[in-house]
Amino acid sequence: MYSDTPIAGPYAHERTSVSRIMVLVVLALVPATLFSLWQFGWPAIFLFLITVGTCLIAEAACLRAAEKPLRPSLLDGSALLTGWLLAMSLPPWAPWWIGVLGGLIAIVVAKQVFGGIGQNLFNPAMVARVALLISFPAELTRYVAPAPLFSPQAPGFGEGLAITFGLDGPDMVTGATLLGQVRTDLGQGHPLPDILPGIYQPWSDAVGTLAGSMGETSALLLLLGGLFLLSQRVITWHIPVATIVTLALAATLMNLYDPAHYPDALYHLVGGATLLAAFFIATDPVTSPISPRGQLIFGAGLGVLIYSIRTWAAYPEGVAFAILLMNTCTPLIDHYVRPRVYGRDRKGAPIEYADDADTEVTR
Amino acid sequence: MKLFNIRGGVHPEDRKHLAADQAIEDLPLAPLLHVPLQQHIGNAATPAVRRGQQVAKGELLGTGQGPISAPVHAPTSGRIMGIGSFPAHHVSGLSVRTITLQPDGKDRWLEGIEGVPDPFTLDPDEIAARVAAAGIVGMGGATFPSAVKLNLRKKYRLHTLVINGAECEPYLTCDDRLMREHTAQVLDGARIMAHALGMTQIIIAIENNKPQAQAAMTQAAADHAAVRVAGLPMRYPMGSEKHLVQTLTGRETPARGLTADIGVVVHNPATAFAVHQALRLGWPLIARLVTVSGGAITRPRNLRVPLGTPVQHLIDYCGGFRVEPTRLISGGPMMGNPLPGTRVPIVKGSNGVLALTAEEVNAQAAAPCIRCASCVAACPCGLLPLQMAAHARAGDLDGTVRLGLMDCIGCGSCSYVCPAHIPLVQFFNYAKGEMAARGRAKQKQAETKRLIEQRTARIEAIQQAKREAMAARKRETAGKPPAQTPADRRAEA
Ligand code: SF4
Ligand code: SF4
């Protein structure tokens, strides 16, 4: 009649599942993604499909090889999300093999080798991006100025295919990203007030009409997606807020110190992949700390690292490196930063109350 | 009144609408009642009746044994059919000593049962004694003998009695109905307990999903300056004693301590009601309110059930199953336990019988942990359920304990929110069971060691005595011991 296996309760469960979480994250990414695909046209669409497809196929192949059941893991949506985030961190007109290689690195090396979902130390999409960046710096830094789908300067379907698959395509109108351009110009000794006016309009950057990877384009739509995730309680505010506040603080301080060489906070927030990282990548549950205080530390560390790499290291954009570096700190943070247990002080000893009026009087 | 925040917690769908509007009904007597001798924490009662004996309603069936125990009484008049083993109201389905009573249908009370006209003139000890004699235990499910809790005043300085009307478990509505329909009696019982505890104030705490109960209690409490009604926010596990007290006072109960450590004692409304009946009417605890509910029950009800009534009898009264249930639960869905069958009797701690459909239980195969920390955010005790479970799963009991296993109240909030559907509480229960077994083994070892040491000491003492006697004799025969006084010599002669 009824099942009487003595499985412990509760005998009620929130309507939630791993796939629901992944699907919500993907849903939150959809507006920014669609906008970017429209901005960068057919080549971007091809690269996106190739990257996501590779991740799904790689996941299936690994599961088959490990003789694990396919359906539950494939349907949980984690491989889809990894592929999606990776695609959004690539230059939109990158050749097809970048997507394939990236997908394989992300799923096989960064996820399945560690033991599959929940086991990986590093965010798979960021591992793939960094590996690609180091191995193929030319392909990974070749950006194009947006040319919205169906606009005269946009490549058609056939041309798009040619671009992605490296056949004889039209020449790319390459354009540097905002962060890249500024770094280059600063390096040549120009002060900011001379550089910025020509290339940086906070508004267009927020809307996303500049060169960049797909995830670097529309800060506004990414922010919208992030707020959606917060409202659905898929993520908590700790990591995004800590990241953004720290980054903004660092930028503001340096900007006050020397406005000619250090751009202000808004520049750092809308430029580059800041919001994608803060809301979608740093909040990857597997590779971020579990306690709220730990998450604050993680976010703050991330903000500092992003700022430092962008400002002083060899790369104009440091989000992927910063995330990987913070990922390595996660186990440490989780070990040392724990919530206080009910009825105990921070050291773990039972609470004692100073006034003895309410406490035990005799034994 | 000002309330304080607690950490964590979850908001399960409360599904109280199923039974909340059903007024309390008296369940007709079952053909046979099975009254277990142990319905409480502590020692089992010993039978006070023989097979074949006629008993009256309220007559003593079993006597409490030792300081932590409770007697049991006849729920109705009838004949004792036997004293033997019967499946317990417990997950294990193991049998326990049970007295089987065949009601004679007369429901004749024992002669001479009567209450006290004014319990407030009684000495606290006298009240506790009467509560103990009535077999009253914590009726929220904990079943700790209430009289023991009433005696806490001897050890602690107490100031506030809290009546825990949170009833935060989904489905359950029997406390709600009790507070609505027997408001004055619950209040009276609470005041009697406060008197016994020597307390100055009473807080009746009720979750905001029970506005009628709040209104009724507020109205009844208006005449008593020392009684206040607190409206609690709806959050599970608001009814956890320590968290309830924190909500009301802002203070956490020290780890491993009691709420009495911070001057508060918590009792359930049903317990207060039973105390009222015991003191005012002299009635022992022989019936209780039970919510029969769940999606698989045809007509959910709140029933007054004679203790010992088989669960099947309640289900039949409620029209049987509408659909096949996947789970039959005793208590609420969050902390209740599966029933081993429908033959088992209702006992003092049963506040609900729930027949749940698969859709309601929403069980799914467990997936790997994605470290989403939902369980961390949900834990009202500040624990890290995912890590505790990982250690427990790996068999690292010490690690689990270091992470705070013994501070876990088993509320199930973590399991409830886990998107991977990992049975976290199952791991904790297993680990706690292991710890208890370890404790028992250790105790046994210590006991054995003590006995052996005692025996060795005894043997040693005997041998020592023998040796001394021997030496003394030797001294006597071998010659004069040195430095004997003349008096000694005289004595020896
Ligand atoms: S809620 Fe479940 S999946 Fe999430 S961290 Fe806890 S155990 Fe892991
Ligand atoms: S069952 Fe234990 S670990 Fe889980 S939420 Fe409740 S107190 Fe925390």
Side-chain angles (χ1 to χ4, degrees), chain B residues 114-378:
Chain B
E114 61 177 24
V116 198
D118 186 3
F120 295 98
T121 57
L122 292 183
D123 184 63
D125 281 332
E126 175 66 17
I127 295 178
R130 283 178 184 253
V131 168
I136 298 174
V137 302
M139 291 175 71
T143 69
F144 190 77
S146 302
V148 180
K149 239 170 145 180
L150 287 184
N151 281 328
L152 285 173
R153 70 177 191 288
K154 295 179 178 166
K155 280 192 181 174
Y156 300 89
R157 194 179 291 166
L158 305 172
H159 50 77
T160 305
L161 171 67
V162 173
I163 297 297
N164 182 354
E167 205 170 43
C168 59
E169 279 269 12
Y171 297 93
L172 301 186
T173 51
C174 55
D175 286 349
D176 181 19
R177 291 309 310 190
L178 182 72
M179 290 186 288
R180 279 155 76 175
E181 296 184 43
H182 297 281
T183 319
Q185 289 91 330
V186 171
L187 183 63
D188 184 57
R191 292 183 58 236
I192 295 171
M193 286 197 283
H195 171 67
L197 286 159
M199 284 169 160
T200 47
Q201 61 166 342
I202 300 175
I203 301 175
I204 300 174
I206 305 174
E207 264 194 16
N208 289 338
N209 58 358
K210 293 177 267 294
Q212 288 109 320
Q214 286 178 341
M217 275 296 171
T218 310
Q219 204 184 359
D223 303 339
H224 305 281
V227 186
R228 279 181 298 166
V229 176
L232 303 171
M234 283 154 60
R235 165 129 50 120
Y236 178 88
M238 192 48 83
S240 147
E241 227 174 73
K242 293 178 175 182
H243 293 90
L244 176 61
V245 169
Q246 189 190 1
T247 306
L248 296 173
T249 67
R251 283 195 156 181
E252 292 186 3
T253 306
R256 309 204 152 268
L258 301 175
T259 56
D261 284 321
I262 47 176
V264 183
V265 172
V266 183
H267 278 288
N268 180 268
T271 313
F273 182 66
V275 167
H276 159 83
Q277 291 189 320
L279 270 292
R280 296 280 182 180
L281 308 169
W283 292 6
L285 179 59
I286 52 173
R288 69 153 301 143
L289 295 188
V290 181
T291 300
V292 184
S293 188
I297 292 283
T298 310
R299 292 190 300 270
R301 287 286 182 275
N302 296 295
L303 304 175
R304 190 185 329 274
V305 183
L307 298 178
T309 305
V311 165
Q312 183 66 51
H313 196 65
L314 281 71
I315 294 170
D316 289 345
Y317 182 82
C318 295
F321 295 135
R322 203 169 53 81
V323 290
E324 278 298 275
T326 23
R327 284 282 180 189
L328 191 65
I329 304 294
S330 167
M334 296 300 289
M335 287 184 79
N337 286 303
L339 281 168
T342 55
R343 284 173 69 206
V344 300
I346 292 295
V347 291
K348 292 175 182 175
S350 343
N351 47 6
V353 170
L354 304 182
L356 304 178
T357 62
E359 206 266 323
E360 290 173 292
V361 176
N362 188 18
Q364 282 176 29
C369 170
I370 54 166
R371 288 176 39 90
C372 67
S374 301
C375 52
V376 179

Side-chain angles (χ1 to χ4, degrees), chain B residues 373-394:
Chain B
S374 301
C375 52
V376 179
C379 180
C381 296
L383 301 172
L384 301 172
L386 74 161
Q387 293 196 349
M388 274 164 41
H391 283 266
R393 172 184 260 163

